């Protein structure tokens, strides 16, 4: 039977509304559980209880994919043309270009493959989501079995700390409290009640939830991919991903450069034909022009820049799964973020207290300690508490219900949780009851007095209080005071805080009723914002990035956190029910309100929000950790999963994993992404510039009766030796000061715009070519060469002229790389700014050109010869000419001549 059939049969059982007997009958089960024979048959029907979070890829297929992108195909095409040209002209060096291009593609593919394969292995290491073993009833006895063997109809036994591996109905339970945040996004624990008459929502449990407190027996209704968590996983696998902005830009650039190269090559093939040159001569030089136009060094330089940026982000706790994601994050215009654990700590703490009819900040322990009611309040929070304290070396760890842990930690900071409990002898306790909405504990004091402490829902506790502890005295509670306390509790709740009331009384017996209590105060708790997030939000706003909270939590809490962090000023919260009634057009209109927040939303609604933003032409980043976030993570332009508490599904769907679960890390990554885009733009402009002094010599050679100023081997030396390290240096430039003060780049902004081509092909490139031709002809003239006079390539004069042409290009590129270190601002301050890659590149350029000019061993291969000293002042002046022209261009741009910008 197929997997889809398994799933459809499993989904057919909807437990809502069924009574216990009907439910067991529908699942072919009994109170004693299934038999082994039934389990074998049901396993054939439903399959194993497992979910494939990550589809592992064949390493060979991953490697092959590195060769199928447009840029590698362009370089492989150029390599093939070069091999063909070598057959036509064997001694021109085309075979070296062909081999070099092929090696560049292979090395680049290996670098990219190793990065992706490393992430692939990391993803496989995450796959430990469903617990390995579970306790269940089989043949009437409790057995420990592999969790994969669980089938619908099995009755599982769970206790505190267990992770639930199935969807099911709670048949029996004692104070079962679950953490369902990975599914719902809600930080507050969920109390489940055992099946009474008919199945209701609060009887249902979901795969992936963790038992925080209590124990119970669960009747399995769905397993594997039919569970809620499995369905969301499938939804995320059905979502398609678009090409990243960088992929689109590189594709656009490669198409441009391909058509440009083919256009120039074809044009001069035809020109050569019309002026009477032989066909094969024209073809060879057309191929030379096409190959010279292909930036051989660009592919490895882009890959290295992105890889190094990924490594830097890794050191900042952001694991990059796909290196192109680095730049995408820099293009982001909207960040859709979950609340729990991303903006907040995913841990409740005491935010505020209301005692003696005075509000006290939960962080101000001195103000709290000064209150007369602080002592009884601390005693209630410590004694009426079921937190378990464990020792981890010298550190104490608190375990239990998050609200109780928050109170225990607060008391610990004030007077010591353990110290208070040591002063009392516990006698009796009433665990928290979901119907009664309170809990109590009775203890004996050192003097023998029986002391009852109570905490619970504010309305319930106030109804049971007849007196109030105020100003150190106990007195009857007035009606106006009761109303004031009720209003204060409502005020806290409206702000999204979780409110509990504290009370006590002296009793005669340990099991006395919780009536006639003395009211002490209100405690308001919240999952607080991470301390560094507020600054990160401010940085996002400065950078023109909008933040939208998409949470499964309640509206009041979402609004409170968003307002406190400065995400919005006047929050407008839309809940899931309201969102489900909106059309796509209405949603797009709604999203244009920058005060919008989302609460109580389902996973598919997060996906709809992301899709609507993309239709508004926004570049969307989505953060999340739960299974409910996975579809939106995958559909976003860039998905960011949490590494510490993120589920496997979320990590699989994401592009970047935050190893510290910190929203502030995203801001650092955005800055890195913007810097890498700026830097790629810089070194593309730098690399393109040398195309002109490489192409024009071929054109001049075809049209004019002169020797060929530069050889194919020399072009190869420029593209793959002297230009590479400086280009990598530009790729590693730190972010400019205004990087996070400017808005994100527009969707229609090109990585290499026509202005970039004008800068490289119409301004700096022609100047480099003119300076190189000047030095070339000066050398020829000094050797007595006459116009149209043939000059053999093995003569000393040709070697000097050709070497001088090459030296001038290389020194021009030194001025060019220094000028490219800034886009609009003057590059003068950058002359002394240390960049090890650029400095190393400059040293390599100088050592290389001096070596091939003055070491005879290299003369024949590179067609060079030693230059006389008198020519060097002109060559050394060339970089300053280039740098000065660039400074003039930038000066004009800063004064409004925008068509000169790049």
């Amino acid at each position: 039977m197929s997997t889809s059939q398994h799933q459809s049969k499993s989904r057919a059982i909807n437990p809502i509304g069924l009574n216990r007997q009907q439910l067991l009958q529908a699942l072919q089960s009994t109170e004693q559980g299934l038999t082994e024979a039934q389990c074998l048959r049901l396993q054939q029907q439903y399959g194993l209880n497992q979910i494939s979070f990550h589809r592992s890829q064949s390493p060979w297929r991953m490697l092959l994919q590195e060769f199928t992108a447009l840029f590698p195909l362009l370089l492989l095409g150029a390599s093939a043309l070069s091999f063909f040209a070598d057959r036509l002209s064997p001694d021109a060096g085309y075979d070296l270009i062909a081999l070099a291009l092929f090696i560049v593609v292979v090395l680049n593919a290996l670098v990219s493959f190793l990065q992706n394969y490393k992430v692939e292995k990391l993803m496989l290491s995450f796959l430990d989501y469903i617990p390995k073993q579970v306790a269940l009833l089989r043949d009437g006895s409790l057995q420990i079995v592999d969790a994969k063997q669980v089938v619908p109809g099995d009755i599982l036994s769970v206790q505190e700390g267990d992770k639930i591996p199935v969807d099911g109905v709670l048949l029996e339970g004692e104070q079962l409290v679950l953490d369902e945040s990975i599914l719902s996004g809600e930080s507050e624990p969920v109390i489940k009640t055992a099946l009474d008459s008919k199945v209701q929502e609060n009887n249902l449990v979901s795969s992936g939830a963790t038992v925080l407190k209590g124990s119970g027996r669960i009747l399995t209704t769905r397993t594997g991919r039919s569970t809620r968590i499995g369905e969301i996983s499938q939804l995320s696998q059905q979502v398609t991903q678009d090409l990243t902005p960088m992929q689109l830009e590189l594709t656009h650039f490669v198409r441009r450069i391909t058509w440009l190269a083919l256009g120039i090559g074809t044009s001069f093939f035809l020109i050569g034909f019309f002026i009477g040159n032989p066909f094969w001569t024209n073809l060879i030089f057309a191929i030379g022009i096409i190959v010279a136009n292909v930036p051989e060094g660009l592919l490895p330089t882009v890959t290295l820049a992105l890889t190094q940026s990924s490594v830097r982000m890794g050191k900042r706790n952001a694991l990059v799964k796909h290196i192109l994601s680095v730049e995408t994050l820099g293009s982001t215009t909207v960040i859709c973020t979950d609340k729990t654990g991303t903006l907040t700590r995913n841990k409740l703490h005491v935010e505020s207290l209301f005692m003696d009819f005075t509000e006290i900040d939960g962080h101000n322990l001195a103000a709290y300690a000064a209150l007369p009611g602080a002592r009884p309040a601390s005693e209630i929070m410590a004694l009426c508490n079921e937190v378990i304290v464990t020792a981890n070396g010298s550190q104490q760890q608190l375990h239990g219900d998050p609200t109780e842990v928050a109170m225990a930690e607060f008391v610990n900071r004030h007077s010591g949780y353990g110290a208070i409990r040591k002063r009392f002898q516990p006698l009796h306790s009433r665990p928290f009851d979901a119907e009664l909405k309170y809990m109590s504990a009775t203890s004996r004091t050192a003097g023998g007095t029986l002391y009852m402490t109570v905490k619970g829902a504010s309305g319930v506790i106030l109804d049971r209080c007849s007196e109030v502890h105020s100003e150190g005295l106990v007195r009857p509670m007035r009606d106006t005071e009761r109303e004031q306390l009720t209003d204060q509790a409502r005020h806290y709740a409206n702000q999204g805080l979780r409110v509990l009331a504290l009370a006590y009384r002296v009793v005669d017996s340990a099991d006395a009723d919780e009536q006639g209590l003395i009211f002490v105060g209100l405690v308001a708790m919240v999952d607080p914002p991470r301390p560094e997030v507020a600054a990160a939000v401010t940085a996002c706003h400065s950078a023109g990035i909008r933040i939208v909270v998409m949470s499964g939590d309640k509206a009041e809490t979402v609004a409170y956190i968003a307002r406190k962090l400065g995400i919005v000023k006047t929050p407008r919260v839309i809940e899931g029910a309201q969102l489900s009634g909106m059309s796509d057009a209405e949603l797009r209109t709604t999203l244009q309100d920058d005060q919008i927040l989302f609460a109580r939303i389902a996973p598919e609604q997060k996906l709809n929000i992301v899709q609507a933003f993309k239709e508004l032409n926004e570049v969307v980043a989505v953060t999340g950790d739960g299974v409910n976030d996975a579809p939106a993570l995958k559909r976003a332009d860039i998905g960011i999963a949490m590494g510490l508490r993120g589920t496997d599904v979320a990590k699989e769907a994401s592009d970047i994993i935050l190893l510290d679960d910190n929203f502030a890390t995203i801001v650092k990554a955005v800055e890195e992404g913007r810097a890498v885009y700026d830097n790629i733009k810089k070194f593309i402009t730098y690399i393109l510039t040398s195309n002109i002094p490489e192409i024009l010599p071929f054109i001049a050679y075809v049209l004019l009766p002169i020797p060929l100023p530069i050889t194919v081997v020399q072009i190869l030396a420029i593209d793959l030796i002297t230009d590479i390290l400086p280009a990598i240096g530009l790729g590693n430039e730190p972010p400019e000061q205004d990087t996070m003060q400017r808005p994100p780049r527009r969707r229609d902004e090109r990585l290499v715009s026509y202005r970039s081509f004008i800068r490289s092909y119409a301004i700096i490139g022609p100047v480099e070519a003119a300076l190189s031709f000047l030095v070339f002809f000066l050398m020829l003239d000094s050797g007595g060469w006459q116009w149209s006079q043939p000059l053999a390539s093995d003569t000393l004069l040709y070697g000097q002229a050709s070497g001088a042409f090459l030296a001038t290009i290389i020194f021009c590129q030194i001025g060019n790389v220094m000028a490219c270190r800034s886009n609009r601002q003057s590059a003068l301050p950058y002359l002394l700014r240390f960049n090890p890659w650029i400095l190393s590149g400059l040293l390599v350029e100088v050592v290389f050109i001096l070596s091939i000019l003055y070491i005879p061993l290299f003369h024949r291969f590179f067609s060079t010869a030693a230059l006389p000293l008198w020519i060097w002042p002109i060559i050394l002046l060339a970089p300053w000419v280039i740098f000065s022209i660039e400074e003039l261009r930038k000066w004009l741009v800063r004064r409004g001549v925008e068509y000169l910008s790049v």
Side-chain angles (χ1 to χ4, degrees):
M1 187 174 289
S2 69
T3 303
S4 61
Q5 287 174 312
H6 295 161
Q7 293 167 1
S8 64
K9 283 180 179 279
S10 182
R11 287 190 182 115
I13 300 168
N14 180 5
I16 296 294
L18 300 180
N19 62 33
R20 191 184 190 100
Q21 194 57 40
Q22 290 171 331
L23 185 60
L24 288 167
Q25 187 176 354
L27 291 164
Q28 304 172 41
S29 187
T30 67
E31 297 287 353
Q32 285 73 43
L34 299 172
T35 65
E36 287 294 342
Q38 282 180 301
C39 291
L40 289 173
R41 179 174 56 78
L42 290 170
Q43 208 167 87
Q44 296 247 331
Q45 179 179 341
Y46 294 112
L48 292 176
N49 178 35
Q50 60 183 8
I51 302 170
S52 297
F53 295 117
H54 179 72
R55 296 176 180 174
S56 60
Q57 301 183 62
S58 161
W60 291 109
R61 183 172 184 178
M62 291 174 65
L63 181 60
L64 182 63
Q65 287 173 340
E66 301 297 338
F67 293 92
T68 56
L70 192 56
F71 208 165
L73 290 176
L74 170 64
L75 294 186
L76 289 174
S79 177
L81 281 176
S82 299
F83 272 122
F84 180 66
D86 182 64
R87 297 291 299 272
L88 301 177
S89 180
D91 298 323
Y94 283 103
D95 56 337
L96 293 172
I97 281 193
L99 184 61
L101 287 171
F102 183 76
I103 290 173
V104 162
V105 173
V106 170
L107 287 177
N108 180 79
L110 287 174
V111 169
S112 183
F113 164 75
L114 289 173
Q115 174 77 7
N116 291 332
Y117 186 62
K118 176 182 174 184
V119 173
E120 173 75 7
K121 289 201 298 183
L122 178 67
M123 289 307 303
L124 290 172
S125 73
F126 283 144
L127 305 186
D128 189 22
Y129 187 68
I130 289 179
K132 296 206 175 352
Q133 292 185 317
V134 293
L136 51 74
L137 274 178
R138 288 264 173 97
D139 293 318
S141 62
L142 196 63
Q143 302 178 21
I144 303 296
V145 302
D146 189 326
K148 293 179 182 177
Q149 307 300 322
V150 180
V151 294
D154 267 325
I155 297 176
L156 277 63
S157 178
V158 296
Q159 57 188 357
E160 188 173 317
D162 286 350
K163 186 173 284 186
I164 297 174
V166 297
D167 285 2
V169 176
L170 183 62
L171 295 180
E172 301 169 13
E174 184 179 342
Q175 301 299 318
L176 192 69
V177 181
L178 303 182
D179 175 5
E180 293 186 339
S181 60
I182 66 164
L183 281 164
S184 65
E186 297 182 33
S187 57
E188 292 187 9
V190 179
I191 299 170
K192 296 294 181 179
T193 57
L195 172 61
D196 185 10
S197 55
K198 291 185 178 181
V199 179
Q200 299 177 350
E201 285 290 339
N202 62 348
N203 306 137
L204 301 180
V205 298
S206 299
S207 176
T210 301
V211 180
L212 295 176
K213 185 178 175 183
S215 60
R217 286 193 172 188
I218 297 168
L219 176 61
T220 303
T221 57
R222 298 184 184 188
T223 58
R225 289 195 292 173
S226 295
T227 61
R228 280 182 64 197
I229 195 172
E231 289 174 348
I232 297 170
S233 174
Q234 286 182 283
L235 177 61
S236 70
Q237 290 179 11
Q238 293 166 4
V239 171
T240 57
Q241 289 180 295
D242 299 331
L243 291 175
T244 69
M246 179 58 76
Q247 285 175 312
L248 293 171
E249 287 306 307
L250 286 175
T251 300
H252 182 265
F253 167 70
V254 169
R255 284 176 179 159
R256 275 192 173 186
I257 204 72
T258 300
W259 285 113
L260 182 65
L262 290 173
I264 295 175
T266 303
S267 299
F268 283 93
F269 173 83
L270 295 174
I271 291 171
F273 178 78
F274 283 119
I275 64 176
N277 288 336
F279 174 84
W280 294 112
T281 300
N282 289 335
L283 182 60
I284 289 169
F285 282 103
I287 291 173
I289 289 171
I290 291 170
V291 172
N293 258 294
V294 174
E296 296 93 338
L298 182 58
L299 183 60
T301 308
V302 168
T303 301
L304 279 170
L306 291 171
T307 301
Q308 289 172 319
S309 183
S310 299
V311 170
R312 286 194 297 272
M313 286 176 64
K315 293 177 180 177
R316 292 181 165 191
N317 293 316
L319 174 68
V320 179
K321 287 174 58 184
H322 311 293
I323 59 174
L324 285 169
S325 305
V326 176
E327 187 281 327
T328 308
L329 197 53
S331 310
T332 298
T333 59
V334 175
I335 298 176
C336 295
T337 178
D338 193 16
K339 175 190 70 68
T340 306
T342 309
L343 300 175
T344 64
R345 298 177 184 175
N346 197 23
K347 184 178 181 181
L348 288 173
H349 91 140
V350 175
E351 178 79 356
S352 185
L353 301 101
F354 193 77
M355 297 166 56
D356 277 357
F357 301 96
T358 304
E359 187 169 13
I360 303 296
D361 188 329
H363 300 90
N364 191 344
L365 291 179
Y368 171 73
L371 291 173
R375 178 169 178 170
S378 295
E379 289 173 348
I380 296 166
M381 286 189 274
L383 298 175
C384 191
N385 199 316
E386 296 181 346
V387 162
I388 298 171
V389 181
T390 60
N392 183 10
S394 60
Q395 298 290 323
Q396 278 192 341
Q397 292 185 333
L398 304 175
H399 307 275
D401 180 87
T403 57
E404 297 198 328
V405 170
M407 288 185 173
E409 288 183 339
F410 177 79
V411 173
N412 230 0
R413 292 196 302 272
H414 174 245
S415 49
Y417 176 77
I420 291 176
R421 291 184 68 90
K422 284 179 183 178
R423 299 203 314 263
F424 295 84
Q425 177 189 352
L427 298 177
H428 179 267
S429 66
R430 184 195 296 274
F432 182 82
D433 188 291
E435 293 183 4
L436 296 176
K437 296 184 179 179
Y438 71 85
M439 67 178 292
S440 67
T442 304
S443 308
R444 179 179 282 115
T445 68
T449 305
L450 299 186
Y451 184 44
M452 175 187 282
T453 54
V454 186
K455 74 171 188 283
S458 57
V460 172
I461 299 299
L462 280 170
D463 287 344
R464 292 173 177 270
C465 289
S466 57
E467 297 178 295
V468 62
H469 191 289
S470 177
E471 298 178 350
L473 300 174
V474 175
R475 59 174 175 77
M477 183 185 294
R478 306 185 188 101
D479 290 341
T480 54
E481 291 173 336
R482 191 180 300 274
E483 289 176 9
Q484 182 182 356
L485 292 169
T486 302
D487 290 343
Q488 185 65 39
R490 188 181 299 116
H491 169 70
Y492 283 142
N494 290 339
Q495 285 189 310
L497 304 178
R498 186 167 187 181
V499 189
L500 290 177
L502 309 178
Y504 75 93
R505 81 178 177 104
V506 176
V507 295
D508 297 326
S509 63
D511 58 350
D513 291 339
E514 294 84 356
Q515 296 290 347
L517 300 175
I518 301 166
F519 184 87
V520 174
L522 298 172
V523 180
M525 289 163 286
V526 72
D527 178 10
R530 289 174 175 266
E532 62 281 349
V533 170
V537 168
T538 302
C540 282
H541 289 165
S542 298
I545 300 171
R546 180 180 167 189
I547 301 172
V548 178
V549 182
M550 302 191 307
S551 177
D553 216 334
K554 58 186 181 183
E556 295 84 358
T557 305
V558 173
Y560 175 79
I561 293 296
R563 192 168 49 240
K564 186 158 187 174
L565 288 172
I567 293 173
V568 294
K569 293 180 179 177
T570 54
R572 177 189 166 196
V573 184
I574 293 180
E575 297 195 33
Q578 183 182 354
L579 182 60
S580 61
M582 288 185 179
S583 66
D584 292 343
E586 288 173 331
L587 177 56
R588 288 193 295 272
T589 302
T590 300
L591 291 177
Q592 294 178 45
D593 181 353
D594 62 5
Q595 300 297 300
I596 284 292
L597 305 169
F598 294 94
R600 299 288 194 195
I601 57 174
E604 58 274 14
Q605 291 179 317
K606 291 187 177 185
L607 184 60
N608 294 340
I609 294 166
V610 171
Q611 181 61 39
F613 268 125
K614 289 173 74 72
E615 289 171 2
L616 291 171
N617 216 27
E618 304 284 0
V619 179
V620 187
V622 172
T623 74
D625 61 338
V627 173
N628 61 327
D629 299 316
L633 284 169
K634 192 167 184 180
R635 185 67 186 101
D637 292 291
I638 182 161
I640 306 166
M642 304 297 112
L644 293 178
R645 69 181 194 287
T647 62
D648 299 322
V649 179
K651 290 170 184 172
E652 159 65 10
S654 67
D655 303 290
I656 291 176
I657 300 172
L658 297 186
L659 300 179
D660 59 358
D661 290 11
N662 195 336
F663 183 85
T665 303
I666 298 173
V667 179
K668 299 173 189 173
V670 168
E671 185 178 33
E672 186 69 48
R674 290 189 175 190
V676 81
Y677 177 84
D678 290 344
N679 291 343
I680 289 174
K681 196 168 186 174
K682 290 173 186 176
F683 68 63
I684 288 179
T685 305
Y686 164 74
I687 287 173
L688 287 179
T689 303
S690 60
N691 280 1
I692 294 300
E694 290 173 359
I695 295 168
L696 288 181
F698 283 88
I699 296 172
Y701 182 70
V702 171
L703 300 179
L704 304 173
I706 62 172
L708 182 62
I710 191 170
T711 66
V712 170
V713 173
Q714 290 173 347
I715 290 175
L716 196 62
I718 293 171
D719 290 349
L720 294 180
I721 299 176
T722 62
D723 273 1
I724 286 289
L725 280 179
I728 293 173
L730 288 173
N732 282 276
E733 283 282 88
E736 295 185 28
Q737 289 184 349
D738 65 343
T739 297
M740 294 299 286
Q741 272 72 55
R742 61 176 188 252
R745 67 182 180 88
R746 301 188 311 275
R747 276 267 194 183
D748 58 354
E749 180 184 328
R750 292 298 179 192
L751 178 66
V752 186
S753 63
Y754 74 92
R755 293 174 179 175
S756 301
F757 279 104
I758 289 173
R759 188 263 184 200
S760 297
Y761 280 41
I763 302 175
I764 304 301
V767 174
E768 286 193 8
L771 291 170
S772 301
F773 274 114
L774 172 64
V775 173
F776 177 73
F777 285 119
L778 285 175
M779 283 305 310
L780 289 178
D781 184 66
S782 69
W785 178 81
Q786 300 294 319
W787 187 260
S788 76
Q789 177 184 342
L791 185 63
S793 60
D794 57 354
T795 61
L796 174 65
L797 181 59
Y798 179 80
Q800 288 180 320
S802 177
F805 193 97
L806 175 62
T808 306
I809 294 176
I810 288 174
F811 275 90
C812 281
Q813 285 293 84
I814 289 175
N816 188 24
V817 74
M818 298 309 294
C820 284
R821 295 183 72 178
S822 68
N823 286 323
R824 296 171 64 93
Q825 302 302 314
S826 170
L828 285 171
Y830 290 82
L831 293 177
L832 298 177
R833 179 180 290 183
F834 180 70
N835 181 319
W837 285 94
I838 291 180
L839 181 60
S840 300
L842 299 184
L843 290 174
V844 167
E845 286 184 300
V846 173
V847 170
F848 173 78
I849 191 60
L850 292 178
S851 297
I852 67 172
L853 288 176
Y854 293 104
I855 298 177
L857 179 67
F858 298 121
H859 286 174
R860 182 173 180 182
F861 183 77
F862 286 102
S863 301
T864 56
L867 299 183
L869 291 178
W870 64 265
I871 199 67
W872 276 107
I874 303 173
I875 295 174
L876 293 176
L877 182 64
W880 294 104
V881 173
I882 299 298
F883 188 84
S884 300
I885 291 173
E886 262 295 272
E887 284 295 293
L888 176 61
R889 182 190 66 80
K890 292 174 190 175
W891 182 83
L892 291 171
V893 168
R894 292 196 299 272
R895 274 150 186 79
V897 187
E898 281 298 321
Y899 67 87
L900 290 176
S901 64
V902 294

